[in-house]
Every structure is written in structure tokens, then in C-alpha cells.
Amino acid sequence: MASAAAYIRLQHFYALLEAKRNPNLRQQPFVVIDGSRIIDVSPEAAKFHITTAMSIRQARLTCPTLQVVEAEADPLPAAERFWDTCASFSPLVEPEGHSSAFVGLSVQGNLKAAGERLMRRLALKLAVPFYLSIAPNKLTAKIAYLEAADLPLSVSGEKHLTWNQGRGQSSAPLKLNDKEKPAVNSRCLIIFPESVEDFLAPLSVNRLWLWPDKVHQQLQNLGIYTIGQLRQVPRLELERLFGETGKALYDAARGIDPAPVKGLYPPKAVQGYFQLPPETDGCRTWDALVKYLLPVLEHCTQELQRLSQACTRLRLWVEYENLEGKCWDKQLKNELQTADQLLLSVKGLLDQDWPAPITGMRLMLMGLKPAALGQLTLASYLKPQRQRKLEQLLPSLQARFGADRVFTASELSIPRRERMLQLLPGFGDYPIPVLGR
Amino acid sequence: MTHRVNAPIRVICRGKQPVAFSWGGRLYTIVQVIDSWKEMGEWWEKAPEITVYQVMTDDQGLYELHYQAVGRWILYKIYD
């Protein structure tokens, strides 16, 4: 087996979301803006060569009938469906944005065949056009995407490309049946491990997306314009010029990226559920429901407290008798950590009349963040328990308030006054009046 | 992509965590447990609770192992 990284990016994601929300936009050239910046263009606007790099004025000049739409649709539900699709291929899914993700692949046999299989499955599962690039690591996979995205549209039937050597050499279209063909303009680009260096050599150093433009500019000021030229620079020289970044640039020029694809999706969550047996009547009243719901909530809150976390997002699935289930997804204003708080939130969601008796419920506590627990709750514990509890809590408190603000007494190795002088700049600059000699 | 196997396997554990498993006459060493969770089926039908482990082996393979409460390990699927 060999590991590979796939980079998948949906095209026109925000534009299609807005078109779904407002059907009048379908088949129209329009751009989606966030403030004064274009964040996406519709497929029809893309035909006019309008890109996200343009200003609104430039875009309007290019296409006089262009509509400008403020981004209003919530992208998260659609993004989660996309990430769920990715998660069905691999447990290693690292979302990059709402419309893009890295997927860690474990490839058995031929990489090209694996790429074709992945392309087919994606084409069946995703309703929107997408880019897929596969390479030995994340760095090369995203560079491959950037290259594929810059390619001019080719004629129909030649839009699904695989590259196995260098830029445009030995490219061959993937063979897909008509049924399996993805939406127009979906593209696949595979960089084989043995051809990574050849692929990267002619590309501009601007393609090294892991580093900011400032580094690209510095490289160009030194006369290094392509990744191939960067490869010629000795390691020590790069280290002298760029420090730690120089070491990473040396590796990147050879297509080496040690960062693995992390399994960040689905995010960590605490879950609990109940489901009544088929022969049991469903819950018709809130009191009847609480009998089943309360143990679930207590289990969830115990788990939250064990992890020293609080939840900021609540997802609730409810199953009704002989009816389709319903799902709520709520971003919470306040952090929740106790069963009472959760019960109130669930009651708030189920406030309306129920269409049928409830037969099951699944609760997912998401958006976990370190909980802010008061010091007073610790005071009631006996000393060893308190210390153990404090050791458990300390990392989360430091994550929340900063390690320089939360520390234990044993870390105080300097006298209190000196520490105060360090913490409060300006304090101690003035002579302290001495009273009563 | 996944390939369902659903075959019983032998697993070596340290504590409750799997560290290696043998399948098809080969020993696979687990280098990372990517995720694990519990799943309960139709409990009123006495379906056993299972613990699911998504693991990465030393040869970069990605596998899903199931541990059934009765003490049985299953190689459920391979991500390939």
C-alpha cells in the first residue's frame, strides 16, 4: 500500500448555493460578494472570464448584464454534506474551506486506477463540478489543483485529465461512461510519486502555497523564479537566508511535505441517543419524553465534564412515529455544560406542536471548547482530589486564558514583586515612597 | 473508497487499544488509531454493542476494525 493525498475542491460552490436560495439567479451571470470582494462567480459569469481576483467594477465592465449578489446562504450544511462524502472514502479528511478538503488515501495497486475510481464515485455523489488532484502529499496535491484550475477549458470529452509526467506531457483523458461523467468542467489530475520533481520544476515559486507572498517575493528578488531553480540552491544557503523556512523550502522544492493529512472531520463531538423499541408507543408529551431524554443528557454532560469541555453547537435529530425524522442544528450564544441547560435548549427547539409521537432522539454536542470552570467548585474537594482535578483542568484553562495568565504556584520561581514588574510595564519606574524611617 | 471484508481477525491489544492484527497470514502493526466510537444496534433485538476503530497500519493502510462486546474482533472494511 502507498499513501497519497487527494485535494478536492468544488467549483462555483457559493454561487450555486445562492442560486439554490434564489432560483431567479439560475443560468444567469452573477458574482457573489462578501463586503466589496468577489468570493465566487457563477458558471455563466466564468464564461466571460470573470474571476474572484477581479474588482466588482472590472467584472461589471467585462459583462454588463452581470448581477452582484451578497453572500447570504449558510454554507455550512452544504459543506458538511461535501465533507461527509469525503469521509466515505477515508477517515482522514482535513477540511480546508467550505468547498475544499484534503483526503488521505491508502492506495492499493495502481494510483491511476485508484484515481479513476475516486473520480467516478465523486461524480456520482457530488452534484456540482469539482477538481480532484492526487499526489504523494498535500503540498503537491494543492499545487496540482492550482495548475489544473489555470488550464484553459478544453473541448468536450477532453476535460478529464490525468498527468503523469511534467506539465502537459503524456496527458491522457480518463475513460468514464456517460452515466458516470461528472458535471461539465470537473477535472482530475494525478501526480505520480516518480514524476513529482519533473512536475514541479517548471512551475513558478508562487505555487508554493504553504508560504506567504512575502517569501515568494524574496525568492524572486534573489533571481529564483521557478521551483526548479529553487532546487539548485544549496540547503545551507537557504537556511542562511530564510532560517527555519529555508529548510522547509529546500524540501518543498523536491516535493517533500512531511505534514500528513489529519483526520479533522467529523470534529470531536459528544453524542447520546435513545430509540424506543418498535412495539412501544411514542412520547406524546414533554413529561413522557423527559423520562427517556434525561439519562441521555446526563450521560452527555458527564462526558463533557470528563473532557473539561463545553459545547457551543447543538444538533438534534428527532424520529417521529410513521413520519420522516427532523434535524435541528443550532449555534448557541452561550456555552452549555449542564444537563439543565441542555434540557432547556432541547425544549426550546421542540416548542412547536409535534407532528407525531416521538420515538427516538439523537443529540450531538458539537463545537467543543475548553470549559470555564470556576475556582470555587474546586475548593470543596479534598486536597488530593483537588490537585488531580486541577491538573486535568490546567491545560484547558491555559488554552482559554493563555499560559502566561494561568499557572500554578510551583511555577513561580521569581519573587512576587519582580513578577509584578514584568507583568505591568511602567510599574516600578517611579521611586516608591518610604514611610516612617 | 472502501472494500468491505467483514472477516474475523486476531488482534493484539495493549490495555483496551488494538496495537496489531493478523489477517490473511500477515501481521499488521497499528501505528495510529485515527478514531474510535461505540455503536449500539437494535438493542431490543439483543444486537451486541460494537466499538469501531479506524486505524492506520505501518504500511500506510487504513482499516476499520469492529470489536463486539462478546470479545470478537472483525476486520470490517479496508479504505483503498
Side-chain angles (χ1 to χ4, degrees):
Chain A
M1 287 215 186
S3 70
Y7 181 75
I8 306 166
R9 191 174 188 116
L10 306 181
Q11 295 186 58
H12 313 298
F13 176 75
Y14 295 99
L16 294 174
L17 276 183
E18 292 303 328
K20 194 177 175 191
R21 204 174 61 84
N22 179 3
N24 293 334
L25 292 171
R26 284 181 193 165
Q27 311 295 326
Q28 298 294 320
F30 70 94
V31 292
V32 184
I33 58 163
D34 184 16
S36 59
R37 197 171 60 88
I38 296 177
I39 58 166
D40 204 358
V41 300
S42 70
E44 289 72 26
K47 286 176 191 163
F48 289 91
H49 304 290
I50 294 169
T51 67
T52 52
M54 285 182 175
S55 67
I56 298 172
R57 187 184 148 79
Q58 270 178 308
R60 277 206 169 113
L61 283 171
T62 313
C63 171
T65 58
L66 186 79
Q67 296 184 57
V68 178
V69 180
E70 189 81 43
E72 283 182 16
D74 180 9
L76 198 58
E80 284 185 336
R81 280 200 295 279
F82 162 53
W83 297 329
D84 282 338
T85 303
C86 296
S88 68
F89 302 126
S90 166
L92 298 172
V93 177
E94 187 180 328
E96 188 203 37
H98 289 125
S99 59
S100 58
F102 290 100
V103 180
L105 300 176
S106 161
V107 180
Q108 231 175 359
N110 189 342
L111 186 62
K112 189 178 172 193
E116 283 178 6
R117 281 204 305 273
L118 184 57
M119 186 78 177
R120 272 192 209 106
R121 297 278 191 86
L122 282 170
L124 286 172
K125 289 192 171 188
L126 298 176
V128 296
F130 60 89
Y131 286 109
L132 165 68
S133 54
I134 303 174
N137 53 49
K138 287 199 294 185
L139 175 77
T140 320
K142 189 162 174 187
I143 293 176
Y145 152 72
L146 294 168
E147 279 298 296
D150 270 3
L151 274 179
L153 293 176
S154 50
V155 292
S156 176
E158 289 181 18
K159 287 171 184 167
H160 322 295
L161 302 173
T162 57
W163 287 3
N164 55 13
Q165 212 176 37
R167 189 177 175 137
Q169 296 170 31
S170 311
S171 65
L174 283 182
K175 287 172 189 165
L176 297 177
N177 297 329
D178 282 345
K179 274 186 194 170
E180 299 164 339
K181 271 190 182 172
V184 181
N185 299 341
S186 291
R187 288 173 175 181
C188 174
L189 189 55
I190 301 172
I191 311 297
F192 291 87
E194 60 276 13
S195 59
V196 168
E197 290 197 3
D198 290 340
F199 167 71
L200 293 176
L203 305 184
S204 161
V205 287
N206 290 333
R207 287 291 191 229
L208 296 171
W209 57 273
L210 280 171
W211 292 276
D213 287 343
K214 201 175 111 182
V215 173
H216 305 150
Q217 196 59 53
Q218 277 176 292
L219 286 169
Q220 284 164 358
N221 291 345
L222 292 164
I224 302 166
Y225 295 99
T226 66
I227 298 174
Q229 288 170 340
L230 180 63
R231 206 187 308 157
Q232 307 300 320
V233 184
R235 186 184 191 117
L236 285 175
E237 186 64 12
L238 281 173
E239 276 184 49
R240 189 182 66 76
L241 292 165
F242 294 94
E244 281 298 310
T245 306
K247 285 183 195 170
L249 283 171
Y250 180 86
D251 288 342
R254 284 151 184 80
I256 299 166
D257 175 18
V261 179
K262 294 175 197 150
L264 299 181
Y265 186 83
K268 290 283 171 227
V270 173
Q271 296 188 58
Y273 72 98
F274 77 84
Q275 197 170 23
L276 301 177
E279 65 275 12
T280 316
D281 286 337
C283 304
R284 292 170 192 279
T285 64
W286 174 251
D287 289 340
L289 182 68
V290 167
K291 195 173 78 179
Y292 298 105
L293 185 59
L294 209 54
V296 174
L297 296 180
E298 279 170 357
H299 159 78
C300 289
T301 49
Q302 277 170 14
E303 191 62 19
L304 276 181
Q305 279 164 11
R306 191 181 68 78
L307 299 167
S308 303
Q309 302 275 313
C311 87
T312 57
R313 190 174 156 201
L314 187 69
R315 189 179 280 182
L316 183 74
W317 283 273
V318 177
E319 285 176 21
Y320 296 103
E321 205 169 77
N322 303 325
L323 273 181
E324 264 195 24
K326 199 173 168 186
C327 178
W328 285 269
D329 197 330
K330 190 182 176 190
Q331 198 72 36
L332 304 164
K333 284 179 189 164
N334 300 315
E335 295 170 12
L336 296 189
Q337 216 200 7
T338 66
D340 288 346
Q341 290 171 330
L342 284 170
L343 198 63
L344 274 176
S345 295
V346 174
K347 194 176 180 186
L349 291 174
L350 294 175
D351 214 13
Q352 293 164 350
D353 286 342
W354 303 347
I358 291 175
T359 55
M361 195 177 270
R362 180 184 284 262
L363 192 72
M364 202 180 208
L365 309 183
M366 300 158 77
L368 301 187
K369 56 191 281 190
L373 287 183
Q375 291 178 25
L376 291 175
T377 55
L378 298 174
S380 60
Y381 288 86
L382 294 172
K383 197 180 171 189
Q385 285 173 322
R386 193 168 64 203
Q387 196 163 347
R388 208 166 42 244
K389 187 85 179 169
L390 189 60
E391 279 166 11
Q392 286 173 0
L393 277 178
L394 197 62
S396 63
L397 289 172
Q398 284 177 332
R400 191 179 171 88
F401 298 108
D404 56 334
R405 293 186 178 188
V406 181
F407 44 85
T408 57
S410 59
E411 289 168 27
L412 282 173
S413 57
I414 53 173
R416 184 184 162 85
R417 184 175 176 278
E418 281 176 38
R419 192 171 180 88
M420 289 302 290
L421 291 176
Q422 283 177 8
L423 287 174
L424 301 169
F427 181 78
D429 290 347
Y430 306 102
I432 299 169
V434 181
L435 301 171
R437 293 193 176 198
Chain B
M1 284 91 41
T2 54
H3 172 60
R4 189 174 296 177
V5 180
N6 209 10
I9 50 166
R10 286 188 172 187
V11 176
I12 302 166
C13 292
R14 186 175 297 136
K16 285 184 180 176
Q17 290 285 86
V19 289
F21 64 91
S22 66
W23 177 59
R26 211 188 127 185
L27 185 73
Y28 296 83
T29 306
I30 294 169
V31 291
Q32 188 192 354
V33 175
I34 298 162
D35 202 358
S36 70
W37 66 90
K38 284 186 194 305
E39 276 183 12
M40 188 175 277
E42 295 171 333
W43 50 270
W44 58 88
E45 299 284 356
K46 299 207 168 26
E49 182 185 88
I50 58 165
T51 310
V52 182
Y53 293 91
Q54 285 179 332
V55 299
M56 184 190 281
T57 55
D58 51 353
D59 65 344
Q60 308 293 318
L62 298 168
Y63 301 88
E64 187 173 301
L65 311 181
H66 288 186
Y67 175 70
Q68 296 177 340
V70 288
R72 214 158 69 113
W73 283 92
I74 303 281
L75 171 59
Y76 187 67
K77 62 183 173 187
I78 304 173
Y79 294 91
D80 62 349

